[in-house]
Amino acid sequence: MLLQVDDLLGNYHKLIMDPVHGGIPVSRFEVALIDHPLFQRLRFICQNDILSLVFPGATHSRFLHSVGAMHVGGRMFMAMVENGLKKRSREFGSEVDSQVLEAISYFHRIVRCACLLHDSGHSSFSHQFSRTQAIREILDSTDTFKQLWNGADYQHAYKQVPEHIEHEHYSVRVAHQLLEEAHEQRSDIETSDILSLMETVDVRVSQSFERHALAIWPLVTGNKPHIPPTDFAEKFRTLLSHIVSGELDADRADYMLRDGFHSSVTIGGFNLDHLLSNLHFGLCDQTNWVGIAIAEKSLSSLEDFVYSRHQMYRQVYAHKTAQGFDWLLRAAIEEVMTQSNVRDLVTRSLSQLDLFQHITDSYFWEAFRRFSMEQSQSYSHCILNRVKMPHLATRSNLSDEEVHTYRNFLAKENELEPGRIIATSLTARFTKIRGSYDSMKVLSSAKDGQQVFRLITQASQFFEKFSDDRITHFYVDPKPLID
């Protein structure tokens, strides 16, 4: 078999110019995926729903974020490969078996593809769409899931029908369709291996994956003379899946850089290059732990990464005006979904893959415009004309009962009916790196030169200092105020 190493040698079919990462090289196979109508629809879905009503530059799309995540994911994997090769060459010389090169190429390509397709199932306005009650009613129907997989077998990805469908389930369905249709450009890549790295699935890796995992074992161990554990292929799959979705993943690395760039808000910041150059394959001889390892000298960069994300949530995504518009957006979607023609198209598009490409931001903006022309006193009018929700107060970490109590207090204080007071909450995530978190560990050297892997919380107290914050904003419903 000819080695598929064009991506490793720097050869590429096209170059996508990106304002965040610069030139991003893409292969013929990746171009075939990107050019598919189901992927092109991401050009018409904003990365941050309607954040541009607060930060005007934040009009960037899910399309470019997905391409950027592919680029970062490939860099993350190759950084671990390069560090593995350096370690091996110091002990055994620089010669590398052709099977190792083939394995590197294979995993590099499936990681890039999984990152590219990880958000391919997002619908209009991204996360706000599925938070709308009218949409949830459609998504929570088992018929929707089965109809979505009409003509394809979902059981190789899911053992049973999910109780609740999220955008990750749509991403898997879209990815499956794109990969099957691009089979002429797919070469030796197995569809199941790409899907196995994505969220929500339960997929067994192929024999090709298992063979390549055994070939790459020397880079994980440094060619130590012990036999890989019988479940090494599954452990290596888990490691790769954390590049796609984990506490330090390609998705977060890209959207933090991209959202900060386009919103012109830089909070804290982190050094991506420094982080990547210090990533390693991790293997603990005593426990057979396999995962991503980060060099101890780069812990400060990981801390910056985690804290910057937390602050982006607090200062940008949970901004009081942005959260107010998110509530208005959901209310406007509820309005237009009362129209039979809109509800019918949306229902069919969420259950028929050939129609799914029509569910974009553009469709709903037109629906808002038509609704507003007929009813000027509407949430659609508020969204189109940037009518803000009057903000009353912001509180943190209130329980549901406390939110209810405080809403009544504000209603009385402002001489309003309690129903006029709107409360909307967003959780500013911090990190799952706590206590016994072991998907990633710190790599350090003992006095005898042996590698030592420690829990991150044993090497740094930073990750115990902060926690998730539930930020609740209180507003006055603007609809009765519209002239």
Side-chain angles (χ1 to χ4, degrees):
M1 178 186 293
L2 293 176
L3 296 183
Q4 300 292 323
V5 295
D6 280 0
D7 52 346
L8 303 181
L9 295 175
N11 296 328
Y12 54 87
H13 181 55
K14 287 186 177 180
L15 191 69
I16 295 177
M17 299 309 299
D18 174 43
V20 174
H21 301 294
I24 298 178
V26 288
S27 68
R28 288 184 181 276
F29 177 47
E30 292 160 354
V31 169
L33 299 177
I34 291 170
D35 282 348
H36 193 285
L38 283 173
F39 191 86
Q40 286 292 311
R41 63 181 284 279
L42 297 179
R43 290 181 182 272
F44 309 106
I45 297 175
C46 277
Q47 172 71 11
N48 300 120
D49 49 78
I50 54 173
L51 188 65
S52 61
L53 293 183
V54 182
F55 302 93
T59 58
H60 52 299
S61 67
R62 286 276 164 186
F63 175 88
L64 203 47
H65 162 62
S66 297
V67 174
M70 174 191 73
H71 177 65
V72 175
R75 287 188 64 195
M76 289 179 68
F77 174 74
M78 288 307 297
M80 289 185 278
V81 167
E82 290 167 9
N83 284 325
L85 288 171
K86 289 177 183 177
K87 177 186 174 185
R88 183 184 181 279
S89 66
R90 286 195 298 267
E91 300 178 13
F92 301 97
S94 58
E95 292 184 4
V96 178
D97 188 279
S98 62
Q99 291 181 335
V100 177
L101 291 177
E102 186 180 351
I104 293 171
S105 175
Y106 189 81
F107 291 129
H108 183 235
R109 284 177 289 147
I110 68 170
V111 166
R112 279 174 59 95
C113 286
C115 290
L116 176 70
L117 299 172
H118 81 285
D119 268 354
S120 58
H122 265 298
S123 299
S124 306
F125 304 116
S126 299
H127 295 285
Q128 299 307 318
F129 186 72
S130 59
R131 291 182 62 191
T132 304
Q133 183 177 351
I135 302 302
R136 280 257 55 102
E137 292 173 359
I138 300 171
L139 296 180
D140 289 343
S141 168
T142 56
D143 290 338
T144 298
F145 182 84
K146 292 180 179 178
Q147 292 170 10
L148 186 67
W149 280 88
N150 185 38
D153 181 13
Y154 69 81
Q155 292 184 328
H156 75 283
Y158 300 99
K159 304 306 179 187
Q160 57 187 12
V161 176
E163 292 184 8
H164 305 284
I165 309 176
E166 304 294 346
H167 78 270
E168 291 90 352
H169 296 95
Y170 279 90
S171 294
V172 172
R173 180 63 183 101
V174 170
H176 179 274
Q177 190 71 21
L178 268 60
L179 293 167
E180 290 301 298
E181 291 188 21
H183 64 89
E184 292 183 359
Q185 300 287 349
R186 193 172 63 207
S187 184
D188 63 323
I189 299 179
E190 297 283 351
T191 296
S192 61
D193 291 343
I194 295 174
L195 297 184
S196 75
L197 305 185
M198 300 178 68
E199 292 187 90
T200 73
V201 298
D202 182 11
V203 178
R204 179 179 175 82
V205 297
S206 70
Q207 292 182 347
S208 294
F209 188 107
E210 293 177 347
R211 174 170 56 85
H212 290 312
L214 292 177
I216 210 168
W217 173 253
L219 296 190
V220 179
T221 65
N223 256 6
K224 292 179 181 178
H226 57 270
I227 301 172
T230 55
D231 60 349
F232 174 68
E234 173 58 24
K235 288 183 175 180
F236 195 69
R237 182 206 65 80
T238 301
L239 182 156
L240 297 181
S241 71
H242 287 144
I243 296 177
V244 183
S245 179
E247 288 305 291
L248 172 59
D249 61 21
D251 175 39
R252 295 178 183 184
D254 181 80
Y255 79 61
M256 285 170 58
L257 292 173
R258 194 171 301 280
D259 293 355
F261 175 84
H262 285 283
S263 64
S264 297
V265 175
T266 303
I267 300 174
F270 67 98
N271 190 327
L272 179 62
D273 292 333
H274 191 246
L275 265 179
L276 296 187
S277 65
N278 286 284
L279 294 181
H280 300 256
F281 294 124
L283 170 67
C284 179
D285 295 335
Q286 289 74 32
T287 63
N288 277 333
W289 170 82
V290 175
I292 298 175
I294 182 168
E296 191 166 20
K297 64 181 180 181
S298 188
L299 263 180
S300 59
S301 293
L302 178 61
E303 293 170 356
D304 289 343
F305 176 86
V306 168
Y307 187 69
S308 294
R309 175 174 176 262
H310 183 61
Q311 288 301 311
M312 280 291 288
Y313 266 93
R314 289 181 57 84
Q315 306 299 329
V316 178
Y317 310 138
H319 188 284
K320 67 180 189 298
T321 308
Q323 283 297 292
F325 279 125
D326 281 346
W327 188 93
L328 286 172
L329 173 62
R330 296 192 296 273
I333 294 175
E334 293 282 3
E335 277 183 342
V336 299
M337 285 291 288
T338 61
Q339 299 181 313
S340 59
N341 62 324
V342 174
R343 189 177 186 87
D344 178 63
L345 177 63
V346 172
T347 301
R348 289 189 295 117
S349 297
L350 288 175
S351 58
Q352 299 178 37
L353 200 62
D354 59 336
L355 297 178
F356 185 60
Q357 68 189 77
H358 299 303
I359 303 299
T360 64
D361 295 358
S362 304
Y363 174 78
F364 276 94
W365 279 118
E366 288 305 313
F368 296 156
R369 187 165 287 107
R370 291 193 300 270
F371 194 93
S372 179
M373 290 173 65
E374 296 176 2
Q375 299 188 39
S376 59
Q377 288 189 324
S378 63
Y379 296 116
S380 295
H381 171 88
C382 293
I383 287 292
L384 289 170
N385 294 280
R386 201 178 179 275
V387 177
K388 293 189 292 184
M389 303 248 284
H391 180 260
L392 296 178
T394 298
R395 295 293 181 269
S396 296
N397 301 317
L398 298 181
S399 66
D400 291 342
E401 182 179 350
E402 289 172 329
V403 169
H404 177 74
T405 300
Y406 195 67
R407 180 194 285 120
N408 290 337
F409 164 76
L410 289 175
K412 183 177 181 179
E413 186 178 61
N414 291 275
E415 299 180 349
L416 296 170
E417 292 295 322
R420 290 283 310 281
I421 306 298
I422 303 298
T424 181
S425 300
L426 181 142
T427 299
R429 303 293 180 186
F430 184 56
T431 183
K432 294 179 181 178
I433 301 176
R434 296 183 178 281
S436 59
Y437 177 84
D438 67 351
S439 295
M440 179 187 296
K441 290 187 177 182
V442 177
L443 171 62
S444 56
S445 297
K447 292 182 179 180
D448 59 1
Q450 295 297 312
Q451 289 186 329
V452 177
F453 296 96
R454 295 186 292 162
L455 295 177
I456 293 176
T457 50
Q458 293 175 345
S460 170
Q461 298 179 352
F462 170 82
F463 299 93
E464 302 289 351
K465 292 181 178 179
F466 302 93
S467 60
D468 294 352
D469 286 327
R470 186 181 187 225
I471 301 170
T472 303
H473 297 297
F474 295 87
Y475 310 87
V476 178
D477 187 340
K479 191 174 179 180
L481 304 178
I482 302 171
D483 294 330

